[in-house]
């Protein structure tokens, strides 16, 4: 992002330095200006409609001058329509890449640099694989020591398929799409099981209808078609309700997930999926009940001798086991996702991020940092002040240009680099495991280094690391200390080797201010007052490190919420099925329970008798679901370098939760039937 100024208006805007070809490669609709010449001059700028209104209101934007960074003038040459919020690439301004090149040509000319994104538009009908083969070793032709191999990827796949390992696709957001799809199938399958269970369990209520129809000539196929038709109508009616609920709940879903998804039955793909789901669900839910009911024997039915048979009972029990196995898997998954999200938010990352806020050092802050720092330390609410070239939770710079005594010249190790202030270690409350932090009283420290434990292990020194010589980018110095490893990136990744040094000339960076406990508001006000003096006109744009850390996992938290909703929904549907099935089971045993009560059985004893069967079924489901749930979540946790363990307690809680729900449900119906007067029970049927 960059600061822009027009008159008294100052705003930070997100944009890109681009070649003019980008306007042809991507679909960017211009409102005013000529697309062919808009980026011809390196001091031209193309802005969004939103940005134009923000700065110029109703005035014509084209021809107006904007100042970037308080010193660089750009002329607006075109205005484009605001990009769709559903676009994976977002920007509000475009500046010719030539401007960026002229400012940074010293490092951009190196073929070893990989900071710039390249988009290609192949000719229609071109062989993408053949082109990729030609491009593969392009860098090696210019950098003989490089082992980097280039590859191309269709831009439409980038958003969902964005993770690569050694140049090979290794997943991305598509993994979460698959997870949600599988969970949705689980929920639908549980609902189908409910339908099958309740349909076959209550088959006796339709036995006489089936018997009479068979007597007057109906064949099994006709009956099968009838019951399948009833299943189809039930699913069709449910689909109508689901469509209405989707329209009503989509705004809430978008709010929870931070998306802007749309749902339209006019979309051929959506309509096709809906029809397929209706047909498949109708078949899965209705096939077994239709076969079961259509095979009734008329003679037995009309004599009142209908029995569901051992096969139907076993099938129903099997479905209950499958249903609760799926529920147990989902409960395990929900618990593990919640624990991992909580773990990431509260993990000790090696320094204390609470009460620390950061902001970019604009204006005269960086050139006068020492004065600014000393003055800020004297202000109310401020405990300590330091700086680093990047935020300590998001360090992106790295190099292989590091040498030391005994290094293998053929070994290329990538070290993350960070320039810091003298007080960085102390202000961030990091721990030194060897040596010391930088010291203002030691003149040579301007050439010295502090490394983390991962870096120290790479050097292979015998004995202490502190005091050893180290050279980075031709700057020779000594390692004065080893800091305890801290996370300077997402918990998805391992901690990388890190080298810290003092900046030779401070021209940019991140200001880090630690407030006194519970005095953040006071420290912010103190910093803002001084900021206006040193960075006049620059917006006071700050963020707290703990909030930035949470932002790392915002998308994962949103996905976790969706997953939890699906899991709760599936468990609720399972309970509905169990509620109906246990009610039917208790109803069918009304006479048996009445006889047992007359013979002296107590209500608790009758409840225990009824609950025994379902207890066994849930325990079997636990034996099946726990290993599967453990395996699935263990694989998911492998995506995180730092994570919780699934643990046997999670498996136990998931099984106990399902068992509790089933027993409460069965107990309710059992008590209800058991409390009926035996005289009435024995009149049953």
């Amino acid at each position: 992002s960059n600061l822009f100024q027009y008159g008294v208006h100052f705003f930070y805007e997100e944009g890109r330095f681009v070649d003019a070809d980008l306007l042809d490669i991507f679909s960017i609709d211009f409102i005013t200006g000529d697309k062919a010449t808009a980026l011809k001059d390196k001091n031209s700028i193309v802005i969004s409609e939103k940005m134009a209104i923000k700065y110029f209101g109703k005035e014509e934007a084209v021809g107006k001058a904007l100042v970037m960074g308080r010193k660089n003038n750009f002329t607006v040459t075109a205005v484009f329509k605001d990009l769709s919020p559903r676009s994976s690439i977002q920007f509000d301004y475009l500046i010719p890449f030539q401007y960026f090149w002229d400012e940074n040509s010293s490092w951009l000319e190196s073929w070893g640099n990989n900071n710039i994104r390249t988009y290609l538009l192949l000719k229609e009908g071109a062989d993408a694989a053949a082109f990729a083969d030609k491009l593969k070793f392009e860098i090696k032709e210019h950098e003989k020591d490089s082992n980097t191999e280039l590859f191309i990827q269709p831009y439409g796949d980038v958003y969902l398929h964005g993770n690569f390992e050694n140049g090979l696709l290794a997943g991305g957001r598509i993994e979460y799409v698959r997870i949600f799809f599988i969970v949705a199938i689980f929920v639908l399958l549980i609902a189908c099981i409910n339908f099958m269970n309740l349909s076959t369990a209550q088959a006796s209520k339709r036995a006489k209808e089936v018997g009479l129809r068979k007597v007057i000539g109906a064949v099994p196929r006709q009956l099968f078609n009838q019951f399948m038709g009833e299943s189809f109508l039930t699913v069709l009616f449910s689909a109508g309700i689901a469509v209405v609920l989707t329209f009503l709940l989509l705004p809430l879903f978008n709010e929870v997930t931070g998306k802007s998804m749309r749902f339209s039955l006019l979309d051929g793909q959506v309509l096709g999926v809906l029809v397929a789901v209706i047909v498949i669900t109708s078949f899965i839910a209705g096939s077994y009940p239709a076969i079961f009911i259509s095979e009734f024997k008329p003679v037995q039915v009309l004599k009142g001798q209908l029995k569901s048979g051992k096969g139907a009972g076993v099938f129903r029990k099997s479905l209950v086991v499958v249903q609760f196995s799926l529920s147990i898997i989902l409960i395990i998954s929900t618990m593990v996702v919640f624990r991992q999200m909580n773990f990431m938010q509260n993990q000790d990352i090696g320094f204390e991020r609470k009460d620390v806020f950061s902001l970019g050092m604009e204006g005269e802050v960086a050139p006068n940092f020492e004065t600014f720092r000393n003055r800020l330390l004297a202000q109310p609410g401020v405990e300590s002040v330091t700086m680093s070239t990047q935020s300590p939770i998001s360090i992106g710079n790295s190099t292989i240009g590091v040498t030391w005594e005994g290094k293998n010249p053929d070994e290329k190790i990538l070290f993350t680099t960070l320039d810091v202030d003298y007080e960085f270690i102390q202000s961030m409350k990091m721990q030194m495991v060897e040596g010391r932090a930088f010291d203002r009283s030691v003149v040579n420290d301007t050439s010295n280094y502090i490394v983390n434990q991962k870096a120290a292990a790479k050097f292979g020194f015998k004995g202490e690391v502190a005091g050893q010589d180290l050279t980075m980018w031709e700057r020779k110095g000594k390692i004065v200390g080893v800091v305890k490893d801290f996370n300077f990136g997402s918990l998805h990744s391992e901690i990388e080797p890190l080298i810290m040094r003092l900046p030779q000339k401070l021209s940019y960076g991140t200001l880090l201010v630690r407030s006194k406990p519970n005095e953040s508001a006071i420290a912010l006000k103190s910093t803002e007052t001084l900021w206006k003096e040193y960075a006049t006109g620059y917006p006071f744009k700050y963020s707290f490190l703990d909030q930035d850390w949470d932002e790392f996992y915002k998308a994962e938290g949103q996905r976790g919420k969706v997953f939890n909703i699906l899991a709760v929904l599936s468990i609720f549907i399972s309970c509905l099925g169990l509620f109906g099935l246990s009610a039917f089971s208790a109803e069918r045993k009304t006479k048996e329970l009445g006889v047992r009560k007359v013979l002296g059985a107590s209500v608790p004893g009758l409840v225990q008798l009824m609950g025994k069967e379902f207890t066994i079924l849930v325990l079997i489901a636990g034996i099946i679901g726990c290993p599967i749930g453990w395996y699935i979540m263990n694989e998911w946790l492998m995506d995180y370098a730092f994570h919780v363990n699934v643990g046997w307690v999670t498996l136990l809680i998931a099984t106990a939760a399902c068992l509790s729900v089933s027993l409460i449900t069965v107990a309710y119906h059992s008590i209800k039937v058991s409390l009926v007067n035996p005289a009435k029970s024995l009149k049953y049927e």
Side-chain angles (χ1 to χ4, degrees), residues 6 14 116 179 240 321 349 376 392 435 491 505 529 586 636 648 664:
Y6 178 73
E14 294 289 336
I116 307 304
I179 289 171
V321 169
I349 60 173
L376 186 55
L491 294 180
K505 181 182 178 182
T529 301
W636 178 73
W648 65 269
I664 291 170

Side-chain angles (χ1 to χ4, degrees), residues 279-351:
V279 172
I280 294 171
T281 304
S282 300
F283 180 78
I284 293 174
S287 56
Y288 180 76
I291 293 171
F292 176 73
I293 297 172
S294 63
E295 293 297 327
F296 285 163
K297 300 292 186 290
V299 176
Q300 292 179 340
V301 170
L302 297 177
K303 282 184 178 181
Q305 297 174 345
L306 175 67
K307 292 182 180 179
S308 60
K310 197 175 279 188
V314 170
F315 186 71
R316 279 201 302 275
K317 291 176 183 177
S318 299
L319 291 179
V320 170
V321 169
V322 171
Q323 189 176 52
F324 275 98
S325 295
L326 296 177
S327 294
I328 286 171
I329 291 170
L330 288 172
I331 292 173
I332 291 170
S333 303
T334 302
M335 290 178 65
V336 172
V337 169
F338 175 80
R339 287 171 54 213
Q340 180 63 18
M341 294 299 112
N342 190 59
F343 170 80
M344 290 189 298
Q345 290 175 336
N346 299 291
Q347 165 75 343
D348 178 7
I349 60 173
F351 63 91

Side-chain angles (χ1 to χ4, degrees), residues 630-641:
W630 177 87
Y631 176 79
I632 291 172
M633 295 317 296
N634 200 52
E635 288 295 306
W636 178 73
L637 288 172
M638 289 300 104
D639 285 341
Y640 297 88

Side-chain angles (χ1 to χ4, degrees), residues 386-658:
T386 187
M387 62 73 57
S388 57
T389 44
Q390 292 181 295
S391 170
I393 62 169
S394 183
I395 307 173
N397 290 341
S398 58
T399 183
I400 59 172
V402 182
T403 57
W404 61 90
E405 188 177 348
K407 179 189 177 185
N408 182 348
D410 297 326
E411 189 176 29
K412 295 187 183 338
I413 301 174
L414 194 64
F415 290 90
T416 300
T417 64
L418 183 69
D419 286 5
V420 300
D421 180 43
Y422 285 99
E423 286 74 26
F424 181 78
I425 299 292
Q426 299 90 324
S427 292
M428 293 297 102
K429 299 188 177 180
M430 296 175 175
Q431 295 181 32
M432 299 298 296
V433 295
E434 188 181 322
R436 59 174 176 82
F438 290 125
D439 189 339
R440 288 177 180 275
S441 64
V442 180
V443 178
N444 290 340
D445 266 3
T446 54
S447 299
N448 292 335
Y449 302 96
I450 292 175
V451 302
N452 68 352
Q453 291 171 291
K454 282 291 178 72
K458 296 290 184 183
F459 300 139
F461 295 134
K462 294 180 180 179
E464 288 194 358
V465 175
Q468 299 285 350
D469 292 331
L470 188 70
T471 301
M472 184 172 75
W473 294 330
E474 308 302 323
R475 175 172 150 178
K476 187 174 181 179
K478 290 186 178 294
I479 300 171
V480 297
V482 179
V483 67
K484 183 180 178 181
D485 284 339
F486 64 91
N487 293 94
F488 46 84
S490 166
L491 294 180
H492 282 281
S493 306
E494 294 280 359
I495 297 174
E496 300 294 335
L498 171 71
I499 299 175
M500 292 185 283
R501 65 174 188 173
L502 296 167
Q504 290 182 319
K505 181 182 178 182
L506 188 58
S507 57
Y508 70 97
T510 299
L511 178 69
L512 298 160
V513 181
R514 179 178 294 281
S515 69
K516 294 176 181 177
N518 303 315
E519 295 187 20
S520 295
I522 300 172
L524 280 169
K525 187 66 178 175
S526 297
T527 306
E528 184 177 12
T529 301
L530 202 58
W531 175 270
K532 289 178 179 178
E533 181 180 335
Y534 282 80
T536 307
Y538 285 89
F540 185 64
K541 186 181 177 183
Y542 66 90
S543 63
F544 281 86
L545 284 191
D546 52 358
Q547 294 175 350
D548 292 340
W549 180 261
D550 291 342
E551 192 70 20
F552 269 154
Y553 310 105
K554 182 179 179 181
E556 289 167 318
Q558 291 166 341
R559 289 190 286 261
K561 289 177 184 177
V562 175
F563 184 87
N564 291 344
I565 292 169
L566 287 172
V568 169
L569 181 62
S570 70
I571 295 163
F572 174 71
I573 294 172
S574 295
C575 293
L576 284 180
L578 181 65
F579 189 86
L581 202 56
S582 59
F584 180 79
S585 179
E587 183 186 339
R588 293 195 64 177
K589 291 187 176 183
T590 301
K591 191 172 183 180
E592 176 191 337
L593 295 177
V595 172
R596 287 180 179 273
K597 197 169 183 181
V598 169
L599 295 175
S602 64
V603 173
L606 295 175
V607 172
Q608 183 180 357
L609 176 70
M610 289 290 291
K612 183 178 178 181
E613 178 183 346
F614 286 100
T615 299
I616 293 171
L617 295 179
V618 173
L619 291 176
I620 293 172
I623 293 171
I624 296 171
C626 285
I628 297 174
W630 177 87
Y631 176 79
I632 291 172
M633 295 317 296
N634 200 52
E635 288 295 306
W636 178 73
L637 288 172
M638 289 300 104
D639 285 341
Y640 297 88
F642 300 86
H643 58 78
V644 298
N645 294 316
V646 177
W648 65 269
V649 174
T650 303
L651 309 182
L652 190 63
I653 292 174
T655 306
C658 280

